[in-house]
Amino acid sequence: MDLFDENRELQGVDNINACYGGVSALINSLNWLKVSVNNKYAIVVATDLALMNTERISFQGGGACAMLLGRNPKITISEEMVSYMKNTHDFLKPIKSKNLGPYCNGYESMIGYHESLKYCLEKFKERYGKSVKDFDHIAIHGGLCKVFVMNTFKKVAEWENIDYEELKKKFVSSTIHGERIGGLYTAS
């Protein structure tokens, strides 16, 4: 809320979290808009402020995303959701740690990411009868590593029995900014 120091009539909250922080803020804002006819707009700003140790500087977050949410949007966000939460301790920064950056286990992170994505796709199909084939565009958390993102697309194509090139068209627009400006962990 520090961004709006002069305006005291705002309602809001700062979500301080790793990659999930932006998603959490988006979900909170969409729900806030639904509860009252007086709520006209919500602003979600997701940024990467994490500092990394010099040996992992290539993973430094540098991206940001700002979204203005309101009624009758040009882009709709599906209200149908599936969540997957699991403590794996693959990427964490303990409170009062002397380590500048987080502790991470990249391989375990990738395995956990693919596990959670597969679970969510299966549950989404089970609950709502829809798959990735039913959407025009899809954005996934991609961070920085293009090889990982492409590997993920291949896995989704296999799981969903869809042509890889056809699937890539649905995802590609969500990867452009990360390629141009660097890590988009929270913003993605």
Side-chain angles (χ1 to χ4, degrees), residues 75-95:
I75 298 172
T76 57
I77 297 171
S78 174
E79 292 185 28
E80 300 156 329
M81 292 187 195
V82 175
S83 295
Y84 180 95
M85 296 288 175
K86 180 180 178 183
N87 285 327
T88 59
H89 305 289
D90 61 314
F91 188 91
L92 69 139
K93 186 170 183 182
I95 296 172

Side-chain angles (χ1 to χ4, degrees), residues 139-188:
I140 62 168
H141 174 48
L144 178 63
C145 183
K146 186 173 182 173
V147 172
F148 173 71
V149 172
M150 293 306 169
N151 182 292
T152 300
F153 293 167
K154 287 177 183 171
K155 286 189 177 296
V156 172
E158 179 185 315
W159 300 331
E160 296 289 309
N161 195 24
I162 186 171
D163 179 68
Y164 172 73
E165 292 301 322
E166 181 185 336
L167 180 69
K168 201 164 93 171
K169 291 175 189 173
K170 295 175 182 276
F171 285 97
V172 75
S173 62
S174 70
T175 66
I176 294 168
H177 290 85
E179 290 177 17
R180 292 183 181 165
I181 64 173
L184 291 173
Y185 299 102
T186 301
S188 70

